[in-house]
Amino acid sequence: MAAEPDAGFGLYVHWPFCRSKCPYCDFNSRPAGAIDQPRWAAALLAELDYFADRTPGRRPTSLFFGGGTPSLLDPEIVSAIVTRVRARWDCAPDWEVSLESNPDSADAGRFQAYRDGGVTRLSLGLQALDDTALRWLGRPHDVAEGRAALELARTVFPRLSFDLIHSRPGQSLAAWRDELALALTFAPDHLSLYQLTIEDGTVFGARGVEPPDDDTGRALLDLTRAMTAAVGLPAYEVSNHARPGAECRHNLTYWRGGDWVGIGPGAHGRLGVAAIAQNRDPDTWLAAVETIGHGTETEETLSPESLAAERVMMGLRLAAGIDIGALAAGCGLAVEQVIDRRGLARLIEAGLVESDGDRLRATPDGWPLLDSVLAMLLV
Ligand code: SF4
């Protein structure tokens, strides 16, 4: 079940704790109480070993510490995980080691130690460059602290990205223009610019927070794309912008249909046709790893059709789109078993998808409507 040839092979480590729970967040994260970090380190390393035994001969192109807030992990543990990965797999010489960090000063104080431990790329959760918005988003840092962390990170890590959230209720185009313009003065190589979505099960969901209407949301997206493209940071994915060559290699593996191993509570992985999910609950995961060496809750064999649909769904998030012929063949299917040609013709006519031979791309009009595009495209 071959993916794109340059899809890579990723390793993901999930750290499920944060200082507090942000009101918009539906990730598998919870406020950290007293955490026995050595115990957690032993469990993460044990699960890493379990997956190393299952993937002999694979060459990791990336390792990603996500969460939660993995900058709450002691730097020695990050270093131990990087060291163990290098001992268990033959990593690509230019592999990428990313860590997500909050920009508060406590975490920033550990940047050098993370770098010394092997982290090559930092992803900083700034989320806003406006103190009122940061308070509303429940973030513990302010703009000054965020900017200080950014400046420091720039001197420490070879590669750096930061996140901002737009489409906040009441946010005007002019306000977002100013905020994004300020962000672009920091000369980033990579930016993740997310539209605020209100999810069930979050504090914002319970409060009935309303995102901007469709027209305003679309105008904010168009402005974002125009401003980033103008400074050489085009969207290479729905929410991600980079200078050519500075794309997040780990996330490219997901979008290009590659394989990856997921370690830690709630992590997901894909190994060929195997869709693997670890227990979401940290205590359940920890107990399972300590008993049987891994915390896998489910392992499902994907049908060729499901795998192909997943790859179309992920691949159309990329500006480069997908090679539908190669994608179908990689799943052992004919193109007609993956996409509906009449649906495709209608999408092209509506200007939501464009095709160039076998290569299909969602257009700027199609990206905000990706769910509907997929519903019409997939058989
Ligand atoms: S810091 Fe990130 S993962 Fe943690 S609660 Fe906030 S948004 Fe969620």
Side-chain angles (χ1 to χ4, degrees), residues 129-367:
L129 289 166
D130 175 298
D131 280 332
T132 306
L134 284 171
R135 278 194 297 277
W136 183 75
L137 289 167
R139 306 295 297 187
H141 66 278
D142 61 16
V143 174
E145 213 172 7
R147 291 184 68 162
L150 189 68
E151 285 308 318
L152 177 64
R154 200 201 300 280
T155 66
V156 172
F157 296 96
R159 296 176 61 207
L160 176 64
S161 175
F162 61 88
D163 297 1
L164 294 175
I165 297 174
H166 63 81
S167 301
R168 307 184 296 256
Q171 186 177 35
S172 68
L173 270 184
W176 175 236
R177 184 182 294 113
D178 290 349
E179 197 171 337
L180 184 55
L182 175 61
L184 295 174
T185 65
F186 304 150
D189 284 333
H190 189 287
L191 271 177
S192 299
L193 302 171
Y194 297 109
Q195 203 168 6
L196 179 68
T197 52
I198 308 300
E199 308 290 350
D200 290 342
T202 63
V203 172
F204 280 176
R207 270 190 220 157
V209 171
E210 292 279 350
D213 60 52
D214 288 351
D215 288 348
T216 309
R218 179 60 201 267
L220 286 161
L221 266 181
D222 288 346
L223 177 66
T224 303
R225 300 224 167 99
M227 287 178 70
T228 50
V231 297
L233 284 162
Y236 70 97
E237 190 266 352
V238 172
S239 307
N240 285 280
H241 303 253
R243 296 196 191 290
E247 298 86 358
C248 176
R249 285 177 219 159
H250 184 80
N251 287 340
L252 281 176
T253 293
Y254 301 151
W255 296 320
R256 288 177 173 164
D259 280 1
W260 75 94
V261 157
I263 289 155
H268 286 250
R270 289 284 179 283
L271 292 176
V273 292
I276 306 166
Q278 308 311 99
N279 278 292
R280 274 180 70 85
D281 175 65
D283 291 333
T284 309
W285 177 86
L286 199 54
V289 177
E290 289 176 341
T291 311
I292 57 169
H294 66 88
T296 300
E297 183 175 26
T298 59
E299 179 160 343
E300 185 193 342
T301 301
L302 296 174
S303 66
E305 291 78 9
S306 303
L307 187 64
E310 186 177 86
R311 288 183 179 171
V312 171
M313 213 154 42
M314 297 301 271
L316 285 183
R317 297 184 66 86
L318 288 171
I322 53 172
D323 179 330
I324 189 62
L327 186 153
C331 296
L333 298 169
V335 171
E336 286 65 29
Q337 292 173 286
V338 181
I339 61 163
D340 173 358
R341 295 260 186 210
R342 279 178 306 178
L344 173 61
R346 288 205 298 275
L347 288 165
I348 291 172
E349 200 182 313
L352 300 178
V353 170
E354 56 191 19
S355 79
D356 174 9
D358 263 0
R359 188 148 286 276
L360 305 182
R361 295 182 198 88
T363 63
D365 286 338
W367 259 349

Side-chain angles (χ1 to χ4, degrees), residues 14-31 67-70 100 102 127 137-140 165:
H14 190 83
W15 181 250
F17 303 111
C18 296
R19 288 209 170 78
S20 54
K21 185 75 178 175
C22 301
Y24 57 89
C25 176
D26 73 337
F27 297 148
N28 186 28
S29 69
R30 69 244 336 112
T69 305
E100 290 179 337
N102 272 343
Q127 313 308 3
L137 289 167
R139 306 295 297 187
I165 297 174

Side-chain angles (χ1 to χ4, degrees), residues 47-113:
E47 193 163 71
L48 200 67
D49 281 339
Y50 166 76
F51 281 110
D53 289 342
R54 289 189 57 174
T55 54
R58 298 301 302 261
R59 172 165 259 208
T61 44
S62 64
L63 166 63
F64 194 103
F65 292 89
T69 305
S71 52
L72 294 180
L73 257 171
D74 289 345
E76 308 80 63
I77 297 177
V78 169
S79 173
I81 291 172
V82 173
T83 303
R84 182 68 65 89
V85 168
R86 297 189 76 108
R88 295 300 316 261
W89 284 276
D90 176 23
C91 299
D94 61 345
W95 77 319
E96 171 189 276
V97 182
S98 287
L99 180 121
E100 290 179 337
S101 174
N102 272 343
D104 28 88
S105 50
D107 298 33
R110 311 190 322 167
F111 285 174
Q112 189 60 54

